[in-house]
Amino acid sequence: MSLWPVYTGGGEPHAGISQLPPPPPWRAFNGRPLLPPPSEDPDDASASPDRTHRAQTYVVTDRSVELVNAALYLRRPLLVTGPPGSGKSSLPYAVARELMLGPVLRWNITSRSTLTDGLYQYDPLSRLYASRENEAFSHNSIEDHLRLGPLGTALLPYQNPRVLLIDEIDKGDLDLPNDLLNVLEEGQFEIPELVRTAHRSAEAEVLMSGGDWRAKVRRGRVRCNAFPFVVLTSNGEREFPPAFLRRCVTLELRQPDESQLKAIVEAHLGELDPDALELVDRFLHRASGGELATDQLLNAVYLTRTSGLTGASRSQLAEYLMPYLSQGLEPGEPRPDDF
């Protein structure tokens, strides 16, 4: 019998992922579990210190805990929206650490990103050069010129789900969300270069994203066993197609309130002193006139503690570190929607 929630947001690593019930019938996958689960070390040495810190200090809300669990139970992607600095990209690191799901796979989206970039990369030129230099070149060596992307690696048949962050999907091409639909719905994809050679070699070992490990791919097809925990982030720069939205669990993060801000600063920098409390108050006051990010407050608290400045100089430094991210109004000025 499973227990809700499997992800608590408490940050203490545990193997609660094993308590998940079977997926809904329409989200069941049957990829042969050929791969062991990723490392269960919550502070994996392969993770960079900044990512470990991000996972340990993330401050969750009740709403985010509920919707993370909904995405885990339903085997659906989690679309996280919200302003800059609201913690969108930190959430998957916190979930991966608590549920011991190994290093987070990350796909940073740009205007040039395509679905194939996330699935795999194939270098035909390097294969051509290799064939010219080696007369004994075999068609089977095509696998030496392939590497799975973050999405392709996440869809390998692990026993436990991998965590995949698709960051800033709203910066991608207009067609990218629709291109993702079939892969995220079916939990599988094909590598045409391997499918064409499957009659000569049914199995290939392909490099995975995030390391020098290789995965066995049979007949050019990758199908997940445990659907990955996929987090897609968006800054709200554009709308997504309804067909894409209905396949996601959507979480909207808001700017943290006073109590959340204090908890965030304490998690990163320790106990709040009077100067830090004053900066929190100033941040909240300034945020009423324009868009600010929590990172700016953290920068201000850290530097005013370590710079050695005092009085007006320290206050001015904090002001410099908290500029508006977009065109804002000075505190006290009326907003357009006030009329």
Side-chain angles (χ1 to χ4, degrees), residues 72-332:
L72 287 169
Y73 273 63
L74 296 172
R75 278 67 169 182
R76 288 291 187 184
L78 180 68
L79 175 62
V80 185
T81 64
S86 56
K88 299 185 296 296
S89 60
S90 296
L91 176 59
Y93 292 96
V95 175
R97 181 175 188 275
E98 180 177 320
L99 298 182
M100 299 190 294
L101 296 178
V104 174
L105 297 161
R106 182 166 185 157
W107 181 18
N108 295 311
I109 301 299
T110 70
S111 60
R112 298 178 300 277
S113 298
T114 66
L115 176 62
T116 303
D117 295 331
L119 294 176
Y120 72 97
Q121 296 89 42
Y122 171 56
D123 189 348
L125 288 179
S126 69
R127 184 171 180 243
L128 177 62
Y129 296 148
S131 67
R132 288 178 175 176
E133 294 175 2
N134 185 3
E135 294 181 358
F137 173 77
S138 166
H139 286 286
N140 295 341
S141 66
I142 189 173
E143 63 197 62
D144 294 332
H145 309 281
L146 280 164
R147 188 184 190 103
L148 296 177
L151 176 57
T153 300
L155 290 171
L156 288 167
Y158 295 101
Q159 293 177 0
N160 284 335
R162 291 297 303 268
V163 178
L164 170 66
L165 169 61
I166 303 179
D167 204 23
E168 298 190 331
I169 188 174
D170 51 336
K171 293 188 181 302
D173 184 83
L174 290 174
D175 292 330
L176 182 58
N178 281 328
D179 293 342
L180 280 167
L181 282 180
N182 186 61
V183 172
L184 294 179
E185 187 67 16
E186 301 297 329
Q188 65 181 358
F189 68 98
E190 290 187 347
I191 302 176
E193 292 81 0
L194 293 180
V195 172
R196 286 194 292 268
T197 60
H199 65 286
R200 285 190 290 266
S201 178
E203 196 168 79
E205 291 192 350
V206 182
L207 277 171
M208 300 158 59
S209 178
D212 297 326
W213 307 284
R214 288 182 175 268
K216 292 182 179 179
V217 175
R218 185 168 179 78
R219 307 196 69 81
R221 296 178 178 87
V222 174
R223 181 171 175 82
C224 71
N225 173 59
F227 187 77
F229 177 60
V230 181
V231 176
L232 307 104
T233 70
S234 168
N235 290 323
E237 295 183 4
R238 67 178 168 121
E239 295 183 355
F240 295 106
F244 175 77
L245 291 175
R246 77 175 180 84
R247 289 171 169 84
C248 297
V249 175
T250 303
L251 168 62
E252 180 182 359
L253 296 180
R254 299 178 177 84
Q255 288 288 12
D257 58 23
E258 182 178 1
S259 63
Q260 292 171 330
L261 276 176
K262 291 178 179 178
I264 291 170
V265 175
E266 284 185 338
H268 285 275
L269 299 173
E271 186 176 354
L272 299 180
D273 55 27
D275 290 331
L277 290 171
E278 188 274 331
L279 283 174
V280 171
D281 290 339
R282 189 192 305 188
F283 180 87
L284 289 167
H285 179 65
R286 285 180 60 78
S288 66
E291 189 175 49
L292 298 176
T294 309
D295 288 353
Q296 295 169 296
L297 173 61
L298 291 172
N299 292 338
V301 173
Y302 175 78
L303 272 186
T304 53
R305 282 184 176 181
T306 59
S307 64
L309 296 175
T310 59
S313 297
R314 182 168 60 184
S315 179
Q316 187 63 61
L317 175 61
E319 200 74 13
Y320 290 152
L321 292 170
M322 295 191 292
Y324 292 117
L325 300 178
S326 58
Q327 185 63 39
L329 300 170
E330 289 299 321

